[in-house]
Amino acid sequence: MQFSDRRNTTRWIIIITSFVIVSLILWNTYSFFQIFKQEERVKMQHWALSQKKINTDDLDADLELPLQIIQTANIPIIVTEKDSIINKINIDDDIVNDKTKLRNFLQRLKNQNDPIVMKISEGRTHNLYYGDSSLLNKLKYYPIALLFIIFLFGAVVYNFYKSTKMATQNKLWAGMAKETAHQIGTPLSSLIGWLEIMKADNVDETTVSEIEKDINRLQTITERFSKIGSEPVLETKDIVEETRNSFDYLKSRFSKQVEFTFSAPKNPILVSINPALHSWTIENLMKNAIDAMKGRGKLKIMIEKEGQNIKINVIDSGKGIPKNQYRRVFEPGFTTKKRGWGLGLSLTKRIVEEYHNGKIKVAHSEIDKGTTMQILYKKAK
């Protein structure tokens, strides 16, 4: 507990420190922006004084410095007298030659900076409007670029943290599954021994047969758990037969209030699957459908062949799934049951997509009418 608290404290210290550093960078950027903006205004004031000196001084006056100041200006400038534009500097020709564009450009300059008033003579003034330099424009977007980079960095860190956490959880679940298989294996071996004794003692054949079925079932479950977290061995099997076997097993063990239907092509369809894991997939989907119908309704499994694609549809007449939960139903921990763990569909998705390179989705669902879960496999070559 202390280790967990210490780790959370360290995490919050890092987050707060990062926030402070980013805030300082943004504040410094804003300060630099204001300093550069003030320096440019001073330059424009010098430009205005130089322009005034050239316009008012005698021809014999030394105008070398004012001319240099005017010639070195690289900022867009518009000088107006009353409502008329009398001078345009560092502005593209396509704007200068279009009165509408020029007026719009002037309005943009007015929005960027306050005008500098040039007093030419008594009762006569010019207004100098200027825009931001290319340096200022670049600096203006620097905080946005910085925030974008920080956002990307944060996303990378988050994805790394999430991936690491998921990998740890996967290892934990795989370890628990293998340990469960190991724990079941010991009493299962003993039960097999007792079954042989019962056969030798001529116990009722029906009783022995049913117990044998349940022991075989436990062996299948043990095999399933032992394969979690390991690369399963895929075999080329008839998907129709393998699916029907799982269908028939559950059909015989559920209430007669559920109307079961199986529809598939008559010819075998070969698909690369792991029989034990595929059986688990079908059973999970069927049990989930029966739960959605509260043990009463219609359940149909329909296998279709479309070119190289094999579709297995599990169709129920249950309560349905809202459209905004189509993806969420496959997330670990998501469940609508009061006592559910939310692992069935998550495990099913992993078996279908990671182990069999297939796809699983909610193909269709209507509230209070039913749901169609669809598995998509590729036909074996």
Side-chain angles (χ1 to χ4, degrees):
M1 185 66 180
Q2 289 180 350
F3 175 75
S4 179
D5 291 341
R6 196 182 309 122
R7 187 169 61 181
N8 286 333
T9 302
T10 303
R11 189 180 300 157
W12 276 110
I13 290 173
I14 293 172
I15 291 172
I16 293 171
T17 303
S18 301
F19 179 77
V20 170
I21 291 172
V22 170
S23 299
L24 288 174
I25 292 173
L26 293 176
W27 182 78
N28 272 328
T29 304
Y30 177 77
S31 299
F32 285 141
F33 181 82
Q34 294 301 321
I35 291 170
F36 290 147
K37 198 171 183 69
Q38 186 59 36
E39 287 181 354
E40 286 195 353
R41 186 166 184 84
V42 171
K43 289 179 182 179
M44 287 298 95
Q45 289 172 343
H46 291 163
W47 191 94
L49 291 173
S50 300
Q51 185 67 47
K52 180 180 178 181
K53 186 174 180 63
I54 291 172
N55 291 337
T56 58
D57 280 9
D58 296 334
L59 294 176
D60 296 333
D62 185 6
L63 301 177
E64 183 178 354
L65 181 59
L67 287 172
Q68 284 183 356
I69 293 174
I70 290 174
Q71 290 171 358
T72 54
N74 58 357
I75 296 174
I77 298 170
I78 292 179
V79 180
T80 66
E81 184 175 359
K82 296 182 180 179
D83 291 330
S84 301
I85 297 174
I86 60 174
N87 199 359
K88 306 168 285 288
I89 299 171
N90 298 324
I91 300 174
D92 293 339
D93 290 339
D94 62 329
I95 296 176
V96 172
N97 297 328
D98 189 317
K99 291 184 178 180
T100 303
K101 288 184 179 180
L102 187 60
R103 283 292 173 185
N104 292 336
F105 189 79
L106 174 60
Q107 187 58 46
R108 196 195 313 169
L109 298 185
K110 289 180 179 180
N111 294 334
Q112 288 182 359
N113 297 288
D114 294 331
I116 296 174
V117 180
M118 302 163 53
K119 189 174 181 181
I120 304 302
S121 60
E122 193 65 35
R124 185 185 175 197
T125 58
H126 290 172
N127 288 328
L128 185 152
Y129 296 96
Y130 65 97
D132 295 330
S133 65
S134 58
L135 176 62
L136 265 184
N137 286 327
K138 291 177 182 177
L139 194 61
K140 187 188 302 180
Y141 296 110
Y142 176 75
I144 299 174
L146 180 64
L147 287 174
F148 181 70
I149 292 171
I150 292 170
F151 173 77
L152 288 179
F153 178 74
V156 170
V157 172
Y158 173 76
N159 284 331
F160 174 76
Y161 171 76
K162 188 175 180 181
S163 300
T164 304
K165 188 176 180 180
M166 287 182 64
T168 303
Q169 289 177 343
N170 287 338
K171 287 181 180 178
L172 177 63
W173 284 114
M176 289 179 65
K178 289 181 181 297
E179 180 62 22
T180 301
H182 177 71
Q183 293 293 335
I184 293 176
T186 302
L188 186 58
S189 300
S190 178
L191 285 172
I192 293 172
W194 282 108
L195 181 65
E196 293 302 320
I197 292 173
M198 292 174 70
K199 288 180 179 179
D201 290 344
N202 296 319
V203 176
D204 180 64
E205 188 176 339
T206 303
T207 303
V208 173
S209 176
E210 290 302 316
I211 292 175
E212 191 170 19
K213 286 180 183 179
D214 287 333
I215 288 176
N216 290 335
R217 179 66 179 167
L218 284 172
Q219 287 179 320
T220 301
I221 293 171
T222 304
E223 184 183 1
R224 289 172 179 175
F225 274 102
S226 67
K227 293 181 184 298
I228 295 298
S230 305
E231 190 68 28
V233 178
L234 300 183
E235 304 173 34
T236 301
K237 293 284 186 178
D238 178 10
I239 196 71
V240 175
E241 182 183 356
E242 294 296 327
T243 304
R244 184 185 286 277
N245 289 340
S246 299
F247 174 83
D248 290 341
Y249 176 83
L250 283 185
K251 178 182 176 181
S252 64
R253 281 160 174 74
F254 274 98
S255 167
K256 300 299 181 183
Q257 292 181 323
V258 178
E259 182 183 330
F260 291 90
T261 308
F262 188 89
S263 172
K266 294 181 179 180
N267 297 327
I269 302 175
L270 301 180
V271 176
S272 295
I273 58 169
N274 180 278
L277 294 181
H278 175 70
S279 173
W280 201 356
T281 297
I282 298 302
E283 289 178 19
N284 275 342
L285 291 177
M286 288 182 66
K287 288 177 180 178
N288 201 66
I290 292 169
D291 287 341
M293 298 187 296
K294 296 182 179 179
R296 178 182 299 177
K298 296 180 180 180
L299 193 155
K300 180 179 182 179
I301 288 186
M302 183 170 61
I303 300 177
E304 299 174 310
K305 181 182 176 184
E306 292 184 2
Q308 294 300 310
N309 294 327
I310 310 301
K311 294 180 180 179
I312 304 175
N313 296 307
V314 179
I315 308 164
D316 66 62
S317 58
K319 61 184 178 181
I321 302 171
K323 202 162 188 176
N324 60 355
Q325 293 183 0
Y326 278 16
R327 292 180 180 273
R328 291 194 64 201
V329 294
F330 296 105
E331 294 177 4
F334 180 83
T335 180
T336 57
K337 304 172 190 174
K338 291 182 178 179
R339 297 184 180 181
W341 286 81
L343 295 176
L345 286 179
S346 172
L347 183 60
T348 301
K349 181 180 176 68
R350 181 171 182 176
I351 292 172
V352 171
E353 297 190 355
E354 293 187 23
Y355 294 159
H356 292 117
N357 296 317
K359 294 289 183 183
I360 184 169
K361 65 178 181 178
V362 181
H364 178 73
S365 186
E366 290 186 48
I367 302 300
D368 297 328
K369 290 188 177 181
T371 300
T372 300
M373 304 293 291
Q374 185 178 91
I375 299 172
L376 180 68
Y377 287 142
K378 290 290 184 181
K379 186 179 176 183
K381 296 180 180 179

